[in-house]
Amino acid sequence: DGGITQSPKYLFRKEGQNVTLSCEQNLNHDAMYWYRQDPGQGLRLIYYSQIVNDFQKGDIAEGYSVSREKKESFPLTVTSAQKNPTAFYLCASSIRHRSYEQYFGPGTRLTVT
Amino acid sequence: EDKVVQSPLSLVVHEGDTVTLNCSYEVTNFRSLLWYKQEKKAPTFLFMLTSSGIEKKSGRLSSILDKKELFSILNITATQTGDSAVYLCAVSKEETSGSRLTFGEGTQLTVNP
């Protein structure tokens, strides 16, 4: 079955620690995206990547970092510089330049205390 | 700055009611407008609208786009408790660094029996 997987589903961390969220897809999509969602709010774009070894900042990139070493994988690191990291994180992928057809993963709920 | 604004932010209705959700946008290089339904986890795609005045329908849901006035509406007739969800509006745009989506805040719809 083709799709996007995110792990883990729930993640708990202490303040001051970096944490990496996993996103893997086997849809053969070139483009991948990371979004953050806070309660009662829509999705805000953190980073996106159109091809391997290239990525662009979205609207709220501060305190986050990404890498795109393989087509299938787009991990997101939430660094200690991110002031309010507790949120629901969604990963998505699409055919390149067809962001209107994004497929979403199930999400990771990160809680930092 | 790109903007996608949804209204109302929340809505509570009774089963059988008809609801209208609104989405207005100010986006450069507009390509298309999309509606998603989100129940707890990943958003699921409902409609994509690119042309003004053409209604898209799927069962009890329908949507239309007005590119002159820069808005879209999503109608749900004969609502059911299973329609309870967050409805997200997003606009697809083209950028030199690749295409991306900009989301609104979402409308939380609650349908009571």
Side-chain angles (χ1 to χ4, degrees):
Chain A
D1 277 337
I4 302 180
T5 55
Q6 290 185 246
S7 59
K9 193 173 174 180
Y10 298 96
L11 191 52
F12 298 89
R13 280 292 183 272
K14 295 284 186 192
E15 200 174 311
Q17 293 179 333
N18 289 356
V19 59
T20 297
L21 310 185
S22 163
C23 177
E24 305 277 331
Q25 53 96 2
N26 60 4
L27 299 166
N28 201 31
H29 286 166
D30 288 304
M32 296 186 75
Y33 313 81
W34 272 107
Y35 295 93
R36 169 185 172 135
Q37 187 174 33
D38 293 285
Q41 295 195 28
L43 277 59
R44 292 185 289 167
L45 184 65
I46 305 172
Y47 269 98
Y48 60 113
S49 167
Q50 296 290 329
I51 54 172
V52 174
N53 292 323
D54 189 40
F55 47 83
Q56 290 78 39
K57 291 182 180 180
D59 300 319
I60 54 165
E62 188 176 342
Y64 298 97
S65 66
V66 293
S67 62
R68 187 84 189 278
E69 296 175 6
K70 296 188 299 181
K71 188 175 184 177
E72 303 79 21
S73 178
F74 191 39
L76 173 75
T77 297
V78 184
T79 75
S80 55
Q82 169 48 235
K83 303 226 183 302
N84 296 298
T86 295
F88 185 53
Y89 290 88
L90 280 162
C91 179
S93 71
S94 74
I95 295 172
R96 191 177 178 189
H97 296 305
R98 292 176 70 170
S99 64
Y100 49 87
E101 282 185 67
Q102 287 187 23
Y103 293 78
F104 286 87
T108 292
R109 194 166 296 279
L110 173 66
T111 302
V112 176
T113 56
Chain B
E1 187 186 326
D2 296 336
K3 236 192 290 188
V4 178
V5 178
Q6 293 186 244
S7 65
L9 293 181
S10 70
L11 190 54
V12 180
V13 301
H14 291 291
E15 262 191 321
D17 288 350
T18 293
V19 298
T20 298
L21 310 183
N22 304 291
C23 176
S24 64
Y25 62 92
E26 290 177 34
V27 171
T28 54
N29 302 322
F30 172 89
R31 185 193 177 106
S32 57
L33 186 144
L34 300 97
W35 285 97
Y36 291 87
K37 178 182 182 182
Q38 186 179 25
E39 298 170 273
K40 306 271 186 193
K41 292 184 183 176
T44 53
F45 172 81
L46 293 175
F47 297 111
M48 182 173 78
L49 303 146
T50 53
S51 302
S52 238
I54 298 176
E55 186 182 47
K56 292 273 182 103
K57 285 197 78 157
S58 176
R60 296 176 293 102
L61 277 66
S62 64
S63 183
I64 197 159
L65 173 68
D66 186 326
K67 286 170 81 170
K68 185 180 173 190
E69 300 297 331
L70 307 183
F71 79 90
S72 172
I73 59 171
L74 175 68
N75 277 321
I76 309 175
T77 58
T79 51
Q80 302 171 358
T81 55
D83 294 327
S84 296
V86 175
Y87 289 84
L88 296 166
C89 171
V91 173
S92 164
K93 55 181 285 180
E94 297 292 346
E95 293 187 27
T96 51
S97 55
S99 60
R100 52 162 291 175
L101 293 178
T102 300
F103 282 83
E105 314 95 311
T107 294
Q108 172 73 60
L109 174 65
T110 303
V111 181
N112 290 324

